[in-house]
Amino acid sequence: ELRTWLEGKLSQQAQSLPISAKLDQLQSQIHQQEEFQKSLNQHSGAYEMIVGEGESLLLSAQPGEEKTTLQNQLVSLKTHWGELSKQTSERHAVLKDCLQKAQKYQQHVQELLPWVEDCSTQVAELGVSLDPVQLEASLLRAKVMQSDVEKRQSLLEMLNSAADLLIESSQADEDGIREEKAGINHKMDAVTEELQAKTASIEEMSQRLKEFKDSFKNIEKKLEGAQHQLEIYEALGPQACSNKNLEKMRSQQETLHALEPQVGYLKNLIQGLVEDAPVGSDSSQLLHQAENTQQDFVQVKQKVNECCSVLESKLQGISQFHSHVR
């Protein structure tokens, strides 16, 4: 009866399902294996009693066919029991090892996957703007996120390593782990690439706005200098008619002539900024600044040119008068 039970258990053990890579399946398989072990333990008393009785009979049995048969039965029983115990123990050990690896892998997945999905959402919200304050805030967020992504790379490496160990230890459902691992790596790569692209766009827009600001200030400063010289000229009235003032005006004329390409560049720069700005961006202030700067430049340049012409004409007349007097 025990031998029949052992043979049935050996057959059952041989037909056990392959060790799964899925955590829930592993937990179920371990439970089944523990129940199997419990059943084995429950029969250990009967096994030991039968073996004990058999060995006692062998001691008292006379040599012959009956003793040989009994001896063979005992050897077979011990072999089957030992084999079943070994298989049960080994399978349980492998299941426990695989379970630990599956738990480790799932731990990394639970730590990384929600973060990747949340990070992807945050990256999608990043964008360029014509507002320097908003742009600076976006750039700061992007830098913080980049730092976080770099820190998470080590966790991704641990996840990949845990997945490989789990796949190597398991006998079934490995494809699911491979696909999940590949999916997480793809999401991580996509987030990293998109974040890099967004950061580069924000940095570029920030640099272009800074360039606009610097160029605008430079033009305004030189226009103010020319305007100041015009005010001095007007305040002096007839006394402004001198070679010294003419030289000053000519200097402003040269400055404005050199400034003209910068005014044109500023206009093109603003047009580019407006074209590259997100839909719905308020570009009215930039356009207004560009228009005012263009108008101021034209007006100041015209006035300086007129002053130079007037001064040149007056000084030429004075020179001719002095010649006639001489």
Side-chain angles (χ1 to χ4, degrees):
E1 184 181 343
L2 181 61
R3 187 173 60 188
T4 302
W5 179 85
L6 276 173
E7 289 173 352
K9 285 296 179 181
L10 280 168
S11 176
Q12 182 182 342
Q13 183 78 340
Q15 295 172 12
S16 296
L17 293 174
I19 295 174
S20 175
K22 292 182 178 179
L23 184 58
D24 57 342
Q25 291 289 336
L26 275 169
Q27 290 169 335
S28 175
Q29 287 179 334
I30 284 179
H31 176 71
Q32 292 171 4
Q33 192 64 26
E34 287 174 347
E35 289 297 315
F36 190 92
Q37 181 69 53
K38 190 185 295 183
S39 175
L40 187 62
N41 293 340
Q42 289 172 350
H43 284 77
S44 63
Y47 165 75
E48 290 171 1
M49 183 184 70
I50 292 172
V51 169
E53 289 178 356
E55 288 177 344
S56 296
L57 287 172
L58 278 177
L59 291 173
S60 59
Q62 296 296 320
E65 185 179 343
E66 189 175 330
K67 183 176 182 178
T68 301
T69 301
L70 179 60
Q71 195 170 24
N72 290 338
Q73 287 177 337
L74 275 174
V75 170
S76 175
L77 187 63
K78 287 180 180 180
T79 301
H80 281 71
W81 183 269
E83 186 179 346
L84 181 60
S85 297
K86 181 183 176 184
Q87 288 181 9
T88 303
S89 177
E90 287 178 350
R91 179 173 171 81
H92 188 264
V94 172
L95 282 168
K96 289 289 286 185
D97 177 66
C98 206
L99 177 67
Q100 289 176 353
K101 290 173 180 176
Q103 288 172 332
K104 193 69 175 177
Y105 169 71
Q106 282 301 322
Q107 178 186 340
H108 292 321
V109 170
Q110 289 167 7
E111 288 176 6
L112 189 60
L113 187 56
W115 175 86
V116 172
E117 292 173 346
D118 180 61
C119 187
S120 179
T121 301
Q122 291 186 48
V123 170
E125 293 171 355
L126 286 174
V128 296
S129 168
L130 293 177
D131 181 356
V133 176
Q134 186 177 344
L135 201 62
E136 184 65 27
S138 295
L139 184 58
L140 181 61
R141 279 182 61 202
K143 294 289 186 182
V144 170
M145 291 169 69
Q146 276 188 323
S147 176
D148 203 11
V149 167
E150 289 173 4
K151 291 177 183 176
R152 300 281 173 167
Q153 287 296 331
S154 59
L155 182 56
L156 180 64
E157 290 173 6
M158 287 191 287
L159 181 144
N160 289 335
S161 177
D164 292 341
L165 289 172
L166 176 59
I167 290 168
E168 185 180 340
S169 300
S170 57
Q171 301 166 342
D173 303 317
E174 305 99 316
D175 288 344
I177 302 299
R178 288 192 186 95
E179 290 172 6
E180 186 176 43
K181 171 192 167 186
I184 293 172
N185 277 267
H186 176 72
K187 287 181 179 180
M188 191 70 167
D189 289 342
V191 165
T192 303
E193 290 174 9
E194 186 179 2
L195 180 57
Q196 288 174 345
K198 287 284 185 77
T199 303
S201 296
I202 294 170
E203 286 177 335
E204 182 189 7
M205 181 61 80
S206 180
Q207 183 61 36
R208 289 166 70 185
L209 282 174
K210 183 180 182 300
E211 186 180 355
F212 161 75
K213 184 179 178 181
D214 292 344
S215 181
F216 178 76
K217 282 184 176 180
N218 179 56
I219 293 170
E220 286 290 295
K221 183 179 179 181
K222 290 181 178 178
L223 286 177
E224 286 173 3
Q227 186 65 43
H228 179 66
Q229 195 63 44
L230 285 170
E231 290 171 357
I232 293 174
Y233 170 78
E234 291 174 358
L236 287 173
Q239 296 178 9
C241 188
S242 68
N243 285 319
K244 184 178 180 181
N245 283 330
L246 178 59
E247 287 302 315
K248 288 181 179 179
M249 278 299 174
R250 281 176 175 170
S251 175
Q252 291 298 328
Q253 196 175 39
E254 290 174 1
T255 298
L256 292 174
H257 180 72
L259 191 63
E260 191 164 5
Q262 294 184 39
V263 175
Y265 177 73
L266 182 69
K267 182 180 179 181
N268 293 333
L269 182 61
I270 291 176
Q271 286 178 343
L273 286 170
V274 172
E275 288 172 2
D276 295 340
V279 177
S281 297
D282 184 8
S283 57
S284 58
Q285 185 177 357
L286 285 177
L287 292 170
H288 183 65
Q289 282 181 307
E291 186 178 346
N292 285 347
T293 301
Q294 183 78 24
Q295 290 175 355
D296 290 346
F297 174 77
V298 171
Q299 291 172 2
V300 171
K301 181 184 176 184
Q302 183 179 351
K303 286 182 180 180
V304 169
N305 288 340
E306 289 174 355
C307 285
C308 285
S309 296
V310 170
L311 283 172
E312 287 170 354
S313 178
K314 285 183 178 181
L315 288 171
Q316 187 177 6
I318 292 171
S319 177
Q320 289 175 352
F321 173 75
H322 286 161
S323 294
H324 290 319
V325 169
R326 284 196 297 271

